[in-house]
Amino acid sequence: MATRRIGIIMNGVTGRMGMNQHLIRSIIAIREQGGVKLPDGDVLMPDPILVGRNAQKIEALARAYGITRWSTDLESCLRNQEDEIYFDAQTTKQRYESVSAAIRAGKHIYCEKPTATDTREALALAVQARQAGIKHGVVQDKLFLPGLLKLKRVIDSGFFGRILSVRGEFGYWVFEGDWQPGQRPSWNYRQEDGGGIIVDMLCHWRYVLANLFGEVQALSCLGATHIPERVDEQGQPYASTADDAAYATFELAGGIIAHFNSSWCVRVYRDELLSIQVDGTHGSAVAGLRECKVQSRVNTPKAVWNPDIPNPIDFYANWQDVPDNAIFENAFKVQWEMFLKHVACDTPFPWDLLAGARGVQVAELGLRSWQERRWVDVPDLTAELS
């Protein structure tokens, strides 16, 4: 057994997602477990170099986690041929130029989503990557959540019969920043900085729906800016120019109807921050981040609408937990390991920059639907790659 090094340029890891999920819970965790075991028995050990604009922050982060390499000069990092992968977790507005430069430098690309601020740029990245012959992937983390992995198991078993509909509830109350600090950065609420929940979340719902149920063929979306003013990290009030809630309906291939409510202005009264209910002719399921429950048609109580008497049915009683039957690791870490193996030995990794462009497309069409107050079709982007 041999240990093989793989160099990774990690840009934007001083931010919340880049630091917590990608650096600490993924790359550091992989290093601490001794690397990624490859099919041939060798071990792949990631060797990151952290890149950021603030030297003090990036150096402190590197020191805290025993990383010897850091830089504020992305251009010089891209010239280093010993680093094969470029990873981007910057804000969306910065991503296109950096990823394009990395593609030109011949780096394999792994990046957060949305991959760009509009479909044109996102598709251009996919075209550039294909022409350069490099490998590329986009984070699709929710596919690897325990609750959704269990839901996929239920789907594959044929439990539902014919799937009729999907309903998703996502969100939580993000404090305005006046009497309690907000849990999200202020740029999320400024359209001019690439913020907004439609841009942030509809790309997630696109890949969840496409991978579990069917491609999105048309959509209708209504956005809202429920809280017009917030307070930023410096304690200064600012106008919220981006949407903080979205109510979207999707028509999927095969006739399935899906609806997702996404909000940073909702107080949670459900088991988890994400809840997805799937109803089919033979059964239903409710999946969250970690858990999944099912109810078959033989266990479905016979509900009768009668508001004149107290409800006699405990509607929670006849649902069953889907067992773990597996050890679930951090969703981001699982996908990182898959991408590293994809680069090292060409194992499959279907979630590429074209998949990322499709997510941006759905978000952009969601904004158009809101603006024009109508349903919009979702064209297939595959032909645009040629």
Side-chain angles (χ1 to χ4, degrees):
M1 181 182 73
T3 298
R4 296 162 51 183
R5 172 197 176 274
I6 187 164
I8 307 172
I9 303 165
M10 301 190 72
N11 192 5
V13 290
T14 56
R16 179 177 59 93
M17 288 291 293
M19 181 193 305
N20 293 328
Q21 297 291 5
H22 292 288
L23 179 61
I24 299 172
R25 297 178 186 173
S26 296
I27 296 303
I28 297 300
I30 290 170
R31 286 166 60 86
E32 289 177 346
Q33 76 182 15
V36 178
K37 189 172 182 179
L38 301 178
D40 63 3
D42 286 352
V43 171
L44 193 66
M45 181 61 72
D47 179 16
I49 177 169
L50 308 187
V51 181
R53 291 172 295 174
N54 187 313
Q56 185 176 1
K57 282 186 178 181
I58 204 76
E59 181 182 14
L61 185 61
R63 287 183 181 275
Y65 292 98
I67 297 172
T68 59
R69 302 191 302 148
W70 62 273
S71 177
T72 58
D73 186 352
L74 176 60
E75 186 176 344
S76 67
C77 292
L78 292 176
R79 288 198 296 268
N80 184 359
Q81 296 183 3
E82 294 184 357
D83 290 325
E84 302 174 46
I85 296 174
Y86 171 76
F87 169 71
D88 195 296
Q90 300 180 98
T91 58
T92 307
K93 289 189 73 172
Q94 298 173 291
R95 189 160 294 139
Y96 177 80
E97 292 298 331
S98 298
V99 173
S100 292
I103 293 172
R104 291 193 299 271
K107 306 301 181 186
H108 303 298
I109 302 298
Y110 188 50
C111 70
E112 263 291 355
K113 73 279 148 215
T115 55
T117 57
D118 58 51
T119 308
R120 178 185 59 82
E121 287 191 345
L123 190 58
L125 290 177
V127 172
Q128 291 169 26
R130 176 166 292 194
Q131 291 174 345
I134 53 97
K135 293 175 180 175
H136 45 102
V138 176
V139 177
Q140 314 268 255
D141 55 284
K142 288 179 175 50
L143 295 178
F144 304 95
L145 292 169
L148 268 66
L149 290 172
K150 294 175 186 178
L151 177 59
K152 180 66 163 61
R153 191 194 310 159
V154 175
I155 294 170
D156 292 345
S157 76
F159 171 84
F160 291 106
R162 180 169 61 88
I163 295 177
L164 308 174
S165 63
V166 181
R167 292 191 296 280
E169 291 284 344
F170 169 79
Y172 47 96
W173 189 269
V174 177
F175 288 106
E176 297 92 323
D178 47 2
W179 72 289
Q180 286 199 57
Q183 307 96 297
R184 301 186 66 88
S186 57
W187 71 263
N188 281 174
Y189 301 94
R190 291 191 290 265
Q191 184 182 32
E192 59 272 24
D193 291 333
I197 202 166
I198 292 176
V199 171
D200 189 57
M201 294 309 303
L202 260 64
C203 57
H204 282 291
W205 308 145
R206 181 264 152 196
Y207 71 71
V208 168
L209 292 171
N211 282 273
L212 270 62
F213 305 104
E215 279 289 353
V216 178
Q217 295 185 330
L219 64 86
S220 172
C221 181
L222 178 65
T225 305
H226 288 310
I227 298 179
E229 184 177 274
R230 292 179 179 266
V231 176
D232 66 17
E233 294 81 355
Q234 288 73 44
Q236 298 300 312
Y238 67 95
S240 301
T241 55
D243 43 287
D244 53 24
Y247 311 92
T249 305
F250 307 92
E251 184 179 5
L252 309 184
I256 299 172
I257 303 300
H259 180 85
F260 275 78
N261 294 327
S262 310
S263 179
W264 290 321
C265 308
V266 59
R267 294 177 176 89
V268 180
Y269 186 68
R270 52 185 181 271
D271 290 338
E272 301 187 72
L273 298 185
L274 170 65
S275 177
I276 298 175
Q277 179 162 336
V278 182
D279 291 303
T281 54
H282 290 180
S284 298
V286 177
L289 300 176
R290 301 199 61 82
E291 305 302 328
C292 182
K293 298 178 183 294
V294 294
Q295 183 179 85
S296 69
R297 59 178 175 173
V298 298
N299 292 327
T300 303
K302 190 172 185 178
V304 177
W305 174 255
N306 188 348
D308 297 325
I309 61 172
N311 172 49
I313 300 173
D314 180 357
F315 287 108
Y316 293 104
N318 295 308
W319 292 77
Q320 294 179 301
D321 288 314
V322 177
D324 288 351
N325 287 357
I327 297 173
F328 299 108
E329 293 198 83
N330 178 275
F332 292 86
K333 177 175 177 284
V334 170
Q335 199 178 6
W336 259 107
E337 290 181 337
M338 292 180 68
F339 185 72
L340 291 174
K341 287 190 283 189
H342 176 60
V343 171
C345 48
D346 206 30
T347 53
F349 192 92
W351 307 285
D352 58 8
L353 283 167
L354 178 59
R358 288 188 171 118
V360 174
Q361 176 195 36
V362 164
E364 190 171 42
L365 291 176
L367 290 169
R368 182 191 299 177
S369 171
W370 176 23
Q371 181 182 23
E372 299 177 3
R373 304 183 70 81
R374 67 178 181 90
W375 277 86
V376 294
D377 292 329
V378 181
D380 186 1
L381 290 179
T382 305
E384 303 294 328
L385 284 179
S386 56

